[in-house]
Amino acid sequence: MTTSSRPAYPAGTVITGKWHNNRFVIRRVLGQGGNGIVYLVHKAGYRNLYALKMGYDTLDLQSEINVLTSLQSQSRHQDGLKGSFKTPFLLEVDDFTGMGKEVPFYVMRYIEGNPIHHFIRRRGEEWVGITGLRLLEKLTGLHRLGFIFGDLKPDNVMVSDYGQVELIDYGGVSKIGRSVKQFTEWYDRGYWNAGSRSSDEAYDLFAFAVLMIQLLNEEGLKAACAQLLPQTRNCSELLNLIGRSPRLKPYAPWLRKAVQGEFPGSREALAAWKQQIYAPAISGRAPGKTPRWLINTFAFSVIMLGAAVYFVFFK
Amino acid sequence: MKQILLITDGCSNVGASPVMAAAHALQEGITVNVAGVIDYGTIGELGSLEITEIAKAGGGVSHIVGTRQLAQTMQMMTRKTVVQTIQQAVNKELKTILGDGSLEELPPQQRSQVVQVVDELTETTPLQVALLIDASASMKPKLAAVEDAIRDLMLSLQAREGRSELAVFHFPGRNSTEDAVMDTDWIQDLGGVRNLFQRIQMKGATPTGPAILKVIDFFRYGTLDGQTWRGNDGEGEGMLGDYVV
Ligand SMILES: Nc1ncnc2c1ncn2[C@@H]1O[C@H](COP(=O)(O)OP(=O)(O)OP(=O)(O)O)[C@@H](O)[C@H]1O
Ligand SMILES: [Mg+2]
C-alpha cells in the first residue's frame, strides 16, 4: 500500500544525526514508498554518495534496520558467499529533528541503475537471461543466510548500465519459517492460490517466476489477472500463459517448475537457470531469427576460416 | 490477542450505538477495526463518520476501500493492529523499566532490541479475529468479494507461527431478536468451508451496535446464545440488558 507523496526536503538540506553527529547533505529524492522516503546524499566534506532512508514509522524502519544488521553480521561468518553483504550495505543508523519531529533514518550504499523492467525495456529481452541469473544469485545468497526477500517486484531490483543486479528495499525480508512480512499481489504465491504465505525459498522463486513472466509478456500477465476471480485464480493460468507465449518459451520448463514449487531449493533453481540460459539451443537468446550481427559475425568467421584453410593448403 | 473486524458499507440504523459498543469491546481487551466497502459513489458523510468513530472507540483503525482492495486492506489492518497492540504493551513495560521512554526516544541499540521483541511477539502471539459482516441489502453485491477477502486473510494468518483463529458473523439475523448470526465458529483453516454465507437473508436493517455487543459476548462465553451468559455472569446481564433492543 503506497501513501500519497509527502513533502520532501530540498537539495542542500543538512541532516545532522542526533546520536553520531554525522552530517549528510541532501542532493535529491531517489524515491518514495510506503515506508519512507529515500534521498541521495553525500557526507558533509566528502564526495562519496549514499542513499539515506527516512522512515514514516520508527518501528517499521527499525525492523528493517534489524534485518539489515542481522544479514550483515551473519554474512561475515559465512565464507564464499556471493552477494552484496560482504561489502557493507547498511552504514549508519540515527535520528534527526526535522520540522519539530524526531525522524529516524539510516544510510546505505547508493545503488545506481534502473529498475529491472526499465532496463529490459531499454536494452532488450536478451538481457533477461543474465540479469535473471544475477538476481537468482542474490536470492540464493539471502536464503543461505536464513532469510527470504519476500516483496520481490521489479521496483526492488536495480540493474546497472552493465547488467549488475542489486536488491533494494529490505522491508519485506523475512526469516525462513515465519510469515512473509510484506508482499505485492501479482508476485504473491497466496494471491495465485498456489501456496502459503510462509517464508520458504520457493516463495521467492515463485515471485521471481512471475517477475520474469512480466518482463517477457506483461500484457499476457495483466490479462490473466484481470479475467480471473479470486476464487478461481490459480497457477494453472500462469502455466497456460507460459505455454502460450512464444517469448516465454525458452524459459518455460524452468518457469513451470518455479510456479509449481517443484525446485527443492534456490540452489537447484539457480543451477537449472544457468543450464537453461547456456543451453546450446538458446545461448542467452530467445529462439527466432538469428540476429543480423550474429549472421555477420558468422559470415566473417567463415571467411576467416576459409582464409585460414586456404593459407594452410595452398601456401 | 483479540480483534473484531467490522465490514460494512454504511450507517447503522437500529439499536445500541456501535461507537458505544466498540468502546465496550476495547474495555474487554478487544480491538475493533472497520473496513468500509464501497464500489460506486460515496459512503456518505454520516457513514464515514460512524466508521471512523467506531474504530476510534474500539482502539483500532478504519479504512474505506473498494472491493478490489478489500483483501489487502483487511490483511494490512489486522497486522498493523497486532503490531500496535504489542507495541503498546511493550511501551507500558518500558515505562516501568526506564521511567519514561517511548520507542522514538530510545538510543539506537536499545531501540533495536525492543523492536526485536515486538517483531517476535507479532509473529508468535496467539490471535483471534472475529469478522463481523454487515449483510444488509446494499452489501449483497459485495459479499463474494468479502468472502474472498476473508479467505485471503485466513491464508495470511495461517502463515503466522502463533495460533491464529477466525470466526465469522453476519448481521442482521432472520428476525428482529437475532442481532448477529454465526457463520463459522473459531477456525484455523477455511479449506473445508465451501460457502461461508449460506445462511444469509438480506434485509434492510443494520443493527451494527447490537451485533458488536453479541460478538463481545461470543469472545467471553464462546456462544452467541444469550442464555449462557445470563446464567453465568450478572454483570454481563446488566450491560446487555441495557443496550440490546
Ligand atoms: N540504496 C538505494 N540506492 C538507490 N536508490 C534507492 C535505494 N534505496 C531506495 N532507493 C529508491 O527509493 C525508492 C523507495 O525506497 P524503498 O523501496 O526502500 O521504500 P519503501 O517505502 O520501503 O517502498 P515500498 O512501499 O515499495 O515498500 C526505491 O524504489 C528506489 O527508487
Ligand atoms: Mg518497503
Side-chain angles (χ1 to χ4, degrees):
Chain A
M1 194 143 289
T2 41
T3 34
S4 53
S5 67
R6 308 190 189 195
Y9 290 102
T13 309
V14 180
I15 305 296
T16 307
K18 166 176 157 187
W19 306 98
H20 303 298
N21 279 318
N22 280 318
R23 303 190 313 136
F24 301 92
V25 184
I26 288 182
R27 296 230 173 157
R28 64 181 166 92
V29 174
L30 284 169
Q32 194 163 13
N35 301 327
I37 176 162
V38 181
Y39 295 94
L40 180 67
V41 300
H42 66 264
K43 203 169 162 176
Y46 299 83
R47 297 186 62 178
N48 292 350
L49 295 175
Y50 304 100
L52 183 153
K53 184 169 185 173
M54 289 183 202
Y56 299 141
D57 180 88
T58 308
L59 188 105
D60 287 345
L61 194 78
Q62 185 62 49
S63 188
E64 202 169 308
I65 292 165
N66 285 358
V67 164
L68 288 168
T69 315
S70 128
L71 283 174
Q72 238 154 257
S73 75
Q74 282 185 54
S75 63
R76 238 175 268 134
H77 303 298
Q78 274 195 30
D79 293 326
L81 196 73
K82 218 171 173 176
S84 39
F85 289 99
K86 279 285 159 189
T87 42
F89 183 77
L90 179 69
L91 300 159
E92 181 144 291
V93 179
D94 213 325
D95 301 325
F96 84 102
T97 314
M99 301 175 186
K101 238 188 89 190
E102 291 286 289
V103 181
F105 70 86
Y106 69 81
V107 180
M108 65 190 133
R109 216 165 61 211
Y110 168 46
I111 310 290
E112 283 188 80
N114 292 291
I116 190 165
H117 53 310
H118 295 172
F119 178 87
I120 297 293
R121 202 177 303 145
R122 225 184 35 211
R123 303 292 288 272
E125 271 165 41
E126 66 261 36
W127 283 87
V128 166
I130 180 68
T131 48
L133 173 64
R134 286 172 169 164
L135 175 53
L136 270 178
E137 277 178 351
K138 295 281 171 195
L139 294 174
T140 311
L142 265 180
H143 296 168
R144 280 182 59 190
L145 296 173
F147 291 87
I148 71 156
F149 188 71
D151 199 5
L152 189 62
K153 56 182 175 185
D155 284 325
N156 288 345
V157 182
M158 298 289 261
V159 184
S160 78
D161 285 347
Y162 299 102
Q164 297 292 341
V165 174
E166 294 281 357
L167 289 166
I168 56 165
D169 189 2
Y170 287 75
V173 172
S174 317
K175 264 202 200 107
I176 288 176
R178 299 244 141 146
S179 55
V180 179
K181 255 197 227 161
Q182 237 181 57
F183 52 86
T184 304
E185 276 188 350
W186 276 15
Y187 316 93
D188 166 40
R189 184 167 71 181
Y191 172 82
W192 291 98
N193 290 313
S196 76
R197 282 197 186 118
S198 301
S199 309
D200 52 33
E201 300 186 3
Y203 187 90
D204 274 349
L205 295 175
F206 184 95
F208 176 90
V210 178
L211 175 55
M212 293 298 126
I213 294 172
Q214 182 187 1
L215 293 178
L216 292 161
N217 185 358
E218 181 154 5
E219 291 311 309
L221 183 63
K222 265 190 198 149
C225 292
Q227 274 170 14
L228 293 165
L229 294 167
Q231 66 271 26
T232 55
R233 194 189 298 125
N234 63 53
C235 64
S236 69
E237 210 50 40
L238 286 176
L239 295 173
N240 284 342
L241 189 58
I242 294 167
R244 260 197 333 259
S245 171
R247 278 180 292 171
L248 290 171
K249 205 166 169 211
Y251 308 97
W254 193 98
L255 292 173
R256 272 198 203 97
K257 282 186 95 168
V259 164
Q260 292 174 288
E262 284 169 1
F263 285 115
S266 53
R267 226 191 288 204
E268 291 79 1
L270 176 62
W273 184 268
K274 262 188 208 161
Q275 211 172 27
Q276 165 188 271
I277 64 171
Y278 295 129
I282 302 164
S283 67
R285 205 184 179 277
K289 279 195 296 183
T290 313
R292 162 114 305 129
W293 67 266
L294 195 60
I295 295 173
N296 290 343
T297 322
F298 185 68
F300 181 66
S301 326
V302 170
I303 292 164
M304 289 303 287
L305 179 75
V309 172
Y310 182 84
F311 193 74
V312 170
F313 283 98
F314 298 100
K315 193 189 147 189
Chain B
M1 182 179 306
K2 299 166 189 167
Q3 296 181 10
I4 291 174
L5 174 47
L6 170 66
I7 302 168
T8 182
D9 69 347
C11 255
S12 66
N13 52 21
V14 194
S17 149
V19 181
M20 178 276 306
H24 275 286
L26 184 63
Q27 184 62 27
E28 290 281 311
I30 306 164
T31 313
V32 184
N33 291 321
V34 191
V37 221
I38 38 147
D39 277 334
Y40 309 101
T42 62
I43 206 154
E45 214 170 298
L46 224 55
S48 71
L49 184 67
E50 186 178 274
I51 284 170
T52 315
E53 291 196 320
I54 294 172
K56 281 208 174 125
V61 288
S62 64
H63 280 282
I64 295 174
V65 293
T67 46
R68 258 306 267 114
Q69 306 97 277
L70 184 61
Q72 210 189 349
T73 306
M74 281 167 52
Q75 196 276 130
M76 191 262 300
M77 286 198 292
T78 305
R79 188 185 164 88
K80 262 244 133 44
T81 305
V82 171
V83 175
Q84 266 164 20
T85 311
I86 286 166
Q87 197 185 349
Q88 279 159 12
V90 168
N91 272 350
K92 228 172 167 180
E93 288 300 307
L94 279 180
K95 280 222 176 79
T96 59
I97 301 169
L98 302 171
D100 184 46
S102 69
L103 197 61
E104 285 72 16
E105 288 152 21
L106 290 180
Q109 188 52 38
Q110 276 170 319
R111 191 187 301 171
S112 156
Q113 286 167 350
V114 170
V115 171
Q116 232 165 305
V117 172
V118 172
D119 275 345
E120 181 75 22
L121 292 173
T122 300
E123 178 74 16
T124 54
T125 310
L127 173 65
Q128 289 185 310
V129 183
L131 291 144
L132 181 56
I133 319 299
D134 170 354
S136 57
S138 57
M139 278 291 289
K140 186 164 186 173
K142 297 161 202 153
L143 279 187
V146 171
E147 175 156 358
D148 291 331
I150 293 173
R151 289 182 187 278
D152 192 84
L153 181 62
M154 185 84 256
L155 194 68
S156 286
L157 294 186
Q158 276 172 336
R160 297 178 75 244
E161 247 168 61
R163 183 185 172 89
S164 311
E165 296 174 301
L166 279 187
V168 183
F169 307 87
H170 72 262
F171 63 97
R174 275 149 299 191
N175 53 57
S176 55
T177 56
E178 202 177 24
D179 293 322
V181 181
M182 186 200 293
D183 298 293
T184 165
D185 204 334
W186 293 123
I187 198 167
Q188 288 176 278
D189 186 353
L190 279 170
V193 184
R194 295 198 104 215
N195 207 336
L196 211 47
F197 299 124
Q198 272 165 344
R199 301 170 57 199
I200 284 195
Q201 283 178 344
M202 296 294 183
K203 290 245 246 46
T206 313
T208 312
I212 293 175
L213 292 174
K214 276 283 177 189
V215 175
I216 298 173
D217 260 9
F218 178 77
F219 269 108
R220 283 181 172 164
Y221 309 113
T223 171
L224 281 184
D225 179 9
Q227 296 303 326
T228 318
W229 62 261
R230 281 202 180 97
N232 292 345
D233 191 322
E235 215 179 312
E237 180 176 19
M239 181 181 126
L240 285 189
D242 286 347
Y243 303 125
V244 170
V245 177

